[in-house]
Amino acid sequence: MEKTDKERIAELEITSAQLEIVSKENKKDIEKLQNTTELLTELKVIAFQNSKQMDRQLEINERQTLQNEKLNLTLTTMDTNLSKLNEEITDINQRVTKIENGSDRGKFDVIAFISNDVPKYIGIAILAAFLAYLGLRQ
C-alpha cells in the first residue's frame, strides 16, 4: 500500500508544523540565551567595577591603618609626657608644702620688724650720731 499524495501532503504538513514548533522553541531558547549573555556581560562589568572599588578601599584601609598607628604613637607619647608632668607637679607641690610648713624664714613680717628691730636700729643710729658728734668736737 502506497500512500496517496494527500496522505504524503498531510504527513509533510504535520512534519512542517512540528518543525515550526521546534523552530519557535529554538527561537525562544536563543532569545533566552541572548538575554543570559547580556546579563552575564553586565555581571562581568559589575564584578570588574567591584574589584576596582575593593582595590581602592584596600588602599584607603592601608592608609588609615598607617594614620592610626601614627596617632597611637602620638597619643602614647602624649600620655608619657602627661604622666611625667603629673609626677613633676606632684613633686613641686610636695616641695612647696615642705617650704610652707617647714620654716618661716622666707616670710617677712613687717609688724614684727617695726616693733622689735627698728628701735634697735634707731638706738644704734643715735649712738653713732652721738659718738660722731663727740669725735668731731675734740
Side-chain angles (χ1 to χ4, degrees):
M1 263 196 116
E2 212 173 284
K3 293 186 185 176
T4 65
D5 285 338
K6 285 186 180 182
E7 290 176 344
R8 280 191 213 152
I9 291 175
E11 285 179 5
L12 286 174
E13 286 178 356
I14 291 173
T15 304
S16 174
Q18 290 174 343
L19 288 175
E20 278 184 41
I21 292 171
V22 170
S23 174
K24 287 179 182 177
E25 289 175 0
N26 285 342
K27 196 174 191 180
K28 288 179 184 177
D29 289 343
I30 289 172
E31 287 176 3
K32 286 180 183 178
L33 286 173
Q34 285 175 339
N35 289 337
T36 303
T37 303
E38 289 173 6
L39 289 174
L40 285 174
T41 303
E42 288 178 22
L43 286 174
K44 184 178 176 182
V45 169
I46 291 171
F48 180 75
Q49 290 172 345
N50 284 343
S51 173
K52 290 295 182 183
Q53 188 173 2
M54 286 294 290
D55 290 343
R56 285 192 301 265
Q57 187 63 44
L58 285 173
E59 290 175 15
I60 290 169
N61 289 350
E62 288 174 5
R63 279 184 282 175
Q64 285 178 339
T65 299
L66 290 174
Q67 288 174 346
N68 287 339
E69 288 173 358
K70 289 179 182 178
L71 179 62
N72 187 28
L73 180 63
T74 300
L75 291 175
T76 302
T77 303
M78 286 174 64
D79 181 54
T80 302
N81 290 339
L82 288 173
S83 295
K84 288 179 182 178
L85 182 62
N86 191 26
E87 290 174 10
E88 290 174 6
I89 288 174
T90 302
D91 290 344
I92 289 171
N93 285 338
Q94 289 174 353
R95 288 177 59 202
V96 167
T97 303
K98 283 181 184 178
I99 290 170
E100 287 176 349
N101 294 336
S103 68
D104 291 336
R105 279 190 259 163
K107 296 179 182 177
F108 183 75
D109 191 1
V110 176
I111 296 173
F113 177 72
I114 291 173
S115 64
N116 294 331
D117 296 333
V118 170
K120 292 178 194 174
Y121 293 123
I122 292 174
I124 293 172
I126 293 172
L127 180 62
F130 181 69
L131 291 176
Y133 174 72
L134 289 177
L136 290 176
R137 215 167 163 208
Q138 291 179 6

